[in-house]
Every structure is written in structure tokens, then in C-alpha cells.
Amino acid sequence: MMTVFMVLIITGVTMVSTGVYNSSIILMLLGRVIYGLGGDSLLVSQWGYITEFFTKNEIGVAFAIKNLFVKLAEKANVDFNPDFFLKLGIFATFNMAAILCWVGLGSRALLLLVEKKHKPKEHLTLFQKSKKSNDNDSGEARQEEIRKKRRTWCCCLPTKEAIKEDIAMYKTFFCLLVFGMIGMASQIGFTEISSKLLESQWFKDLPTAEITEEISKINTIVNYISTSSVLAVGFLADKLKMYTPIAIVSPIYLSAVYALSMYVKPAISFSMFGVGQSLTQVSLWTCMSQILPQNKILVSTGLAVSLQNAILTGIQYVNALLLHFTGDYKFVIYFYLGLNLIGFYGAILYVKNKTELERITAEIDKKVLIEMK
């Protein structure tokens, strides 16, 4: 399916480019819709692909590497696209985008070659055979074996207990989704309103041109910190199994950052904000893979991506309304601070339901193994 989504992206970009050349707004809009369908679908399938080939104990670093390339691409787009557009024009810019999409399709072809040589989670069998295998790897391999036996011997699962496990799983996922979406909403909202904070409080004595330059520097710092720290957070999450602790800490950490942003120099507080972005991203996507079976990852990721896009669109109107009725950017920041505290409550509920889910799953696994003996 990833190949199909890449073709949709190429088709969409080509249609937009053709629409620009022929001054057809309808063709441009239709191409943008097709491009958006392919792009979001590709994002969902990528995450499903990662969870299929990497174990739960490796998912943090895998996500971090994927996120690193996304951030680098976004940074390159911001740095080079304006100059490219000014020198060669909009039509050439869209043609360059189409060429990059074809390069992406070529990388998919390379990935297909890798798939022929390596099967999902193939390295687990190597860990089992190796004398140097550690407990985490062998434990993950054992869980994989149990899941295979579950699928083979599904008839031995009592319907009542299977339904109970599904209910616990969906409750846990819902709490995770609430916590994660609140964290993302607060981050996007704070990013939108931060320019008001910087302009009105920290750089108010500077000329307009310098204010714009200083705000750009702060945003660059945030991007670099967020990009680099996600690797560290992902590594710690995998190495120390800190997926759940990170989920609990991230909303409190972000609330503290929002408060400090009004009293501590921007270089410090916004650097901390970059780390906070990494905490929320890693905790949401890695925790999702911890609680959901492989056959439910794609649907759940699709739901999360759709909500994320809705938040990205709607949060601008939320900021505009809050500023319209209060006229105070500090109130908006405090609003997101309070919103994160609600997210913290969601994280606590997530931990509570996850503990119950693990208990139910362990009981069913035990019965499955007994039935098979």
C-alpha cells in the first residue's frame, strides 16, 4: 500500500504543477486533495511498517530516527524553498517537488528489496539462538510466540474474557489518545501564541526588523532542540523501558515550561519547550504500540493522525477567539498550562487502565498456554 500512497502523492503534485502552469484553480485544489490523501495515508502506513519490523523494546529509537528525517526535511524546505522560488519561479518549484516525490518512490523500491531478504521481527529468532541474548530480547521473543499461539488457538479463548480484554484495551487507548492530543494541542497553540509573548515582553524595545530576526532565531533553537532531543528520549525510552514514566512526566513538564516562558529568558525556556515536544511525541506513538496488537495499529494511527490534523487546523481559531475576548496573550498561555494539567489526568488514567489491561492479558495468555499443553 505504501507504493500506492506514493503514487497518489506524485499524482497530486503533478496535478498541482499542471494547474499552476495552466492557471487552473480547480486542478490545483483537486491535486492538493489527492496529495493530502496520499501523504497522510503514507504517514499512517509508515508507522504500521515500523511497528511490524521492530519490537516494542526498539520502537522508541525507530520512531526517533523517522522523526529526525521528517524534521530535517521540514528544515530544508523552510531554508531552501523560498530562495528556489524567487530564483526559478513557482512552476519550477512544483516540478522540483515532483522530482523529490519520484526519489521517494525509488526509495520504496529499495525497501521492497530489503523486505525480500528480511522478515518482520526476524532478529528475534537470532536473539533466541544467541548465548549472549539478554532477558528483554528473549522476553519479547516469548511474547511474539504467545501471540502466534493465540492466533492459532483462538478457539480456546473464552468469549467473555476476550471481550473484557478488548474493552480494557480500548479504554487504555482512549486515555492515551486524550492525553496525547491535549499535549499536541497545547504545543501547537503555544507555538502560535509564542510570537506575541516574545514580541510584547522580551523584545519590545527592539526595532521591528530585529524583533522578526530574534523570533526566527528562537524558533530555530526550538526546532534544533526538538530534533536532537527526540533521539535521546527515544533511546532512553527503549533502554530503560521508560514509556509510561515519560507519558506521566511530559504534561507536567510542559505546564512548567509554559509558566517559565513568561519569567525566564527565551533561550532557556524555549529550549526546554523543544525537549517537551520530544517527550509528548515519543510517549504518544511508542505507548500506542505497547498496548495495541499489530492488526489494530493502522486504524488507531489513522485516527490519531486525523485528530492531529483537525487540531492543527482548529487551534488557530481557538487562539484567535481567546485573544479576541481577553486581549491578553498571558491568559492564552495559562489556558494551555491548565489544559496540560487535564492531559496529566488523562496520563494517570492511561497508566491505571494499562495496568488492568496487562493483568487481563496475562491471565488469558496463561490459559492459552495451559490449553496447548
Side-chain angles (χ1 to χ4, degrees), residues 68-302:
L68 175 64
F69 279 93
V70 171
K71 292 284 187 181
L72 290 175
E74 290 177 351
K75 187 70 173 65
N77 183 58
V78 171
D79 289 344
F80 299 112
N81 204 34
D83 293 336
F84 195 88
F85 167 72
L86 291 173
K87 291 179 180 179
L88 300 177
I90 188 170
F91 183 63
T93 304
F94 278 110
N95 286 338
M96 177 57 69
I99 293 172
L100 290 175
C101 290
W102 278 104
V103 172
L105 185 61
S107 67
R108 172 57 182 156
L110 292 175
L111 193 58
L112 289 172
L113 295 176
V114 173
E115 287 180 13
K116 290 183 178 180
K117 294 184 178 181
H118 302 283
K119 297 179 181 179
K121 297 184 174 69
E122 183 181 44
H123 55 291
L124 286 178
T125 57
L126 298 176
F127 281 129
Q128 284 179 302
K129 294 176 182 178
S130 173
K131 294 182 180 180
K132 296 181 180 179
S133 172
N134 58 46
D135 293 338
N136 291 329
D137 297 322
S138 60
E140 182 69 21
R142 181 170 176 77
Q143 287 301 316
E144 279 295 308
E145 186 65 24
I146 291 175
R147 282 190 283 271
K148 290 179 181 178
K149 290 177 181 178
R150 268 195 180 211
R151 290 191 290 269
T152 306
W153 292 78
C154 58
C155 58
C156 72
L157 286 176
T159 304
K160 184 178 179 181
E161 293 187 6
I163 294 175
K164 189 177 180 181
E165 182 187 32
D166 283 342
I167 292 173
M169 180 185 65
Y170 287 122
K171 284 173 63 179
T172 306
F173 173 66
F174 175 76
C175 293
L176 175 64
L177 205 58
V178 169
F179 141 72
M181 292 303 111
I182 285 177
M184 287 188 178
S186 74
Q187 288 175 30
I188 296 169
F190 179 76
T191 302
E192 293 282 341
I193 202 68
S194 62
S195 59
K196 290 279 186 183
L197 168 67
L198 294 170
E199 182 181 341
S200 302
Q201 181 168 330
W202 295 106
F203 305 138
K204 59 183 178 181
D205 297 328
L206 297 177
T208 304
E210 290 187 24
I211 289 176
T212 303
E213 184 179 347
E214 290 297 325
I215 291 176
S216 178
K217 288 179 181 178
I218 293 297
N219 290 332
T220 301
I221 290 174
V222 172
N223 288 332
Y224 279 128
I225 294 295
S226 177
T227 301
S228 57
S229 62
V230 73
L231 284 171
V233 174
F235 177 79
L236 288 175
D238 286 343
K239 197 70 176 176
L240 304 178
K241 308 298 174 288
M242 294 179 63
Y243 309 105
T244 301
I246 289 174
I248 296 174
V249 167
S250 60
I252 295 297
Y253 178 88
L254 281 172
S255 293
V257 168
Y258 298 157
L260 289 172
S261 66
M262 293 178 282
Y263 305 101
V264 178
K265 290 183 178 181
I268 297 174
S269 60
F270 279 79
S271 295
M272 295 173 65
F273 176 60
V275 176
Q277 288 181 321
S278 299
L279 290 173
T280 301
Q281 291 170 1
V282 170
S283 61
L284 172 62
W285 298 108
T286 56
C287 285
M288 191 183 299
S289 67
Q290 301 293 314
I291 62 174
L292 295 172
Q294 187 62 41
N295 62 348
K296 291 182 173 64
I297 286 289
L298 288 177
V299 174
S300 303
T301 304

Side-chain angles (χ1 to χ4, degrees), residues 31-69:
R32 186 63 183 85
V33 170
I34 295 174
Y35 170 82
L37 288 173
D40 285 342
S41 299
L42 183 63
L43 179 63
V44 172
S45 63
Q46 279 179 337
W47 185 240
Y49 199 86
I50 289 173
T51 56
E52 184 179 359
F53 272 82
F54 293 90
T55 70
K56 293 182 178 181
N57 296 331
E58 302 164 336
I59 209 72
V61 171
F63 167 77
I65 294 173
K66 168 188 170 295
N67 192 70
L68 175 64
F69 279 93

